[in-house]
Amino acid sequence: MFRQITPTTARRLAIAAQGLAAPLPTATQENMLTLLRRLRCLQLDPIRAVERTQYLVLWSRLGNYDREDFHDLVYQQRHLFEYWAHAASLVLTEDYPLHEIMMRNYGRGGSASSKRLAGWAAENDEFRQYVLDELRARGPLRTGDFEDTTKVPWASGGWNSGRTVSYMLDYLWSSGQIMVTRRDGLDRWWDLAERVHPAWLPAAGWDAAQVTYDAAQKSLRALGIGRERDIGRHFIERRYRNLSTVLKQHYKEELIVPVEVVGWPEQWYIHRDLMPTLDAIVAGDWQPRTTFLSPFDNLIRDRDRTELLWDFFYRIEIYVPAAKRQYGYYVLPILHGDTLIGRISPRMDWKKQVLTIEAIYLEATTKPYLKTGRAVIRAIKQLAKFLNAKQIDYGATVPDPWRKLLA
């Protein structure tokens, strides 16, 4: 017989596993690294309508923290490096064997785009060698520091014309030959991988079975609770070989616990490491928090899972024409306790240091209680502090009962 839990308990476990419950920890580097070991990856995103997603994900869980402490963990101590998880991300160096298998096999399988890029790089081997030689001789370089000496140009549909150097760097990065050694906003400095990796880099060379065995557990721990499809779509998405077989092995070894969630379809699992957390939640030990989530936050990046767990339909509208947007350009869901109660549409003017909340939208099932409003407004003020905003402006779309709280 499987253990049976309620949807509320399942939601709370997912939130707790993501570091989004209980009081905010002190934002030390040690606590930051502990949190990152829960998440396993931070998606990178260039958009800075509010703040870049890697910083927002940490803010939701740590509150106000020093970005330079985070940069030091990544680019000085080398606890993380930039590579592919479910998307271009910061991943843990201790997880290097999970990612090195993709580097080692890049272009020899997988997607058609990776095969095409690897084939094009092989046609331009002299250019590939030129890039590596330049890095070896000159040290870290930016994309614009390389000349385009390709013999076979990258065939473009138009929008990516003139990006031949970028495509070669992308191939060398994906295949593990070069890495990002430091970053200034969107500017990346590239260097040879062997000069970037720390001396304590874990030994690699794992086969696909080893990778799935380890990564599936880390995926499930990060999810808190999940089905096979959820595990396979999280962390190193689409790189779990024979996941069904591995989950059966985990079950036999009592590493994962099957559970039934009342009213939810399919089989759900919890990693045994989270069973004490589950027991505490069932016993009533639940300390809710109110915060905002990046559109690419680890908790909600799987939109189908988000809709099932929270009955919350969410899509980013960056590429939707302004006149057709339902909510806004860069909208952040509001996590209030164990519920996604609505969303805010914020804009940060970095020059004027003004945070504008263009709108606050509540779900149809959310009542605009003043207690809830105080929690949301307090979270907005905390976000403004993190962004060093000197002023908060509000647009016309705010729940009427909350307007008195804006003064």
Side-chain angles (χ1 to χ4, degrees):
M1 292 181 64
F2 296 151
R3 181 164 178 175
Q4 190 178 78
I5 63 174
T6 67
T8 296
T9 297
R11 285 189 283 268
R12 290 181 175 182
L13 183 60
I15 291 166
Q18 280 285 308
L20 286 162
L24 289 171
T26 306
T28 63
Q29 282 191 324
E30 182 180 359
N31 287 340
M32 196 178 296
L33 190 54
T34 297
L35 171 64
L36 291 164
R37 284 175 174 143
R38 281 186 177 191
L39 303 178
R40 308 317 299 188
C41 62
L42 287 176
Q43 183 170 333
L44 294 166
D45 188 72
I47 298 169
R48 207 185 186 203
V50 182
E51 179 55 290
R52 294 190 176 96
T53 195
Q54 61 267 36
Y55 302 120
L56 281 177
V57 169
L58 292 181
W59 170 80
S60 297
R61 293 154 175 81
L62 294 171
N64 203 16
Y65 67 93
D66 189 338
R67 289 172 182 78
E68 290 309 310
D69 282 347
F70 174 55
H71 294 161
D72 180 69
L73 283 177
V74 180
Y75 300 111
Q76 298 300 319
Q77 299 185 45
R78 305 294 184 188
H79 282 292
L80 297 99
F81 65 96
E82 297 190 19
Y83 197 63
W84 284 104
H86 59 272
S89 303
L90 285 164
V91 297
L92 289 163
T93 302
E94 63 195 54
D95 283 339
Y96 179 70
L98 303 180
H99 303 290
E100 185 270 345
I101 189 173
M102 179 177 175
M103 301 174 187
R104 186 177 359 123
N105 295 320
Y106 188 79
R108 288 188 283 174
S111 68
S113 60
S114 65
K115 293 177 183 177
R116 182 187 175 205
L117 183 59
W120 172 82
E123 293 179 298
N124 286 282
D125 193 59
E126 289 185 14
F127 180 43
R128 180 192 67 83
Q129 193 59 52
Y130 154 75
V131 172
L132 296 175
D133 289 344
E134 286 290 287
L135 290 172
R136 187 169 290 107
R138 299 169 61 190
L141 298 171
R142 290 174 292 182
T143 303
D145 295 326
F146 298 96
E147 296 180 22
D148 182 357
T149 62
T150 51
K151 291 184 177 179
V152 182
W154 178 262
S156 168
W159 68 272
N160 51 11
S161 297
R163 297 183 60 213
T164 306
V165 172
S166 295
Y167 276 97
M168 181 57 76
L169 292 171
D170 186 52
Y171 167 74
L172 292 170
W173 172 66
S174 298
S175 58
Q177 299 175 64
I178 66 173
M179 295 179 66
V180 177
T181 186
R182 61 190 174 97
R183 176 187 279 269
D184 181 12
L186 298 182
D187 278 339
R188 294 173 292 180
W189 276 260
W190 302 94
D191 203 355
L192 300 174
E194 60 262 29
R195 293 206 295 231
V196 178
H197 287 311
W200 51 269
L201 184 74
W206 288 16
D207 61 25
Q210 289 174 291
V211 168
T212 302
Y213 184 89
D214 187 74
Q217 293 186 67
K218 289 171 177 173
S219 177
L220 182 57
R221 278 195 292 259
L223 289 166
I225 182 168
R227 299 160 293 177
E228 179 180 330
R229 64 163 305 281
D230 302 321
I231 296 167
R233 292 175 64 169
H234 198 68
F235 186 27
I236 58 167
E237 185 177 13
R238 296 187 299 274
R239 283 145 57 192
Y240 296 92
R241 184 82 62 83
N242 299 323
L243 180 57
S244 296
T245 301
V246 170
L247 290 179
K248 291 176 183 176
Q249 182 180 358
H250 287 162
Y251 173 67
K252 289 180 181 178
E253 296 174 2
E254 299 183 350
L255 292 170
I256 63 174
V257 179
V259 294
E260 177 187 344
V261 183
V262 178
W264 288 1
E266 301 180 71
Q267 177 65 66
W268 295 79
Y269 299 99
I270 298 173
H271 196 278
R272 71 178 180 189
D273 291 352
L274 285 177
M275 293 307 292
T277 304
L278 173 64
D279 291 337
I281 290 171
V282 171
D285 184 4
W286 169 251
Q287 300 180 62
R289 194 187 299 172
T290 300
T291 192
F292 309 119
L293 304 177
S294 157
F296 308 106
D297 192 284
N298 300 45
L299 181 71
I300 60 168
R301 61 156 299 272
D302 185 336
R303 308 303 193 210
D304 294 338
R305 180 175 183 268
T306 299
E307 192 169 353
L308 174 60
L309 265 67
W310 286 279
D311 192 22
F312 187 83
F313 182 83
Y314 178 67
R315 298 292 185 271
I316 193 165
E317 297 181 285
I318 292 171
Y319 303 109
V320 176
K324 295 183 178 180
R325 289 177 192 141
Q326 184 178 4
Y327 297 111
Y329 176 77
Y330 198 80
V331 170
L332 309 184
I334 305 169
L335 177 65
H336 181 61
D338 56 26
T339 307
L340 294 173
I341 64 168
R343 53 205 95 198
I344 65 169
S345 178
R347 284 274 193 167
M348 180 62 188
D349 188 322
W350 292 95
K351 290 183 179 180
K352 295 180 180 179
Q353 292 182 282
V354 174
L355 174 63
T356 299
I357 307 300
E358 298 173 339
I360 302 175
Y361 301 99
L362 297 182
E363 293 291 278
T365 54
T366 302
K367 303 297 184 183
Y369 297 126
L370 290 181
K371 183 178 180 181
T372 305
R374 291 189 188 98
V376 172
I377 300 304
R378 184 164 55 248
I380 289 173
K381 291 178 179 178
Q382 292 166 348
L383 177 61
K385 181 179 180 181
F386 175 63
L387 300 174
N388 292 317
K390 294 180 178 179
Q391 179 179 326
I392 304 173
D393 291 341
Y394 289 88
T397 306
V398 175
D400 288 337
W402 294 5
R403 288 203 167 274
K404 64 180 75 174
L405 304 174
L406 305 182

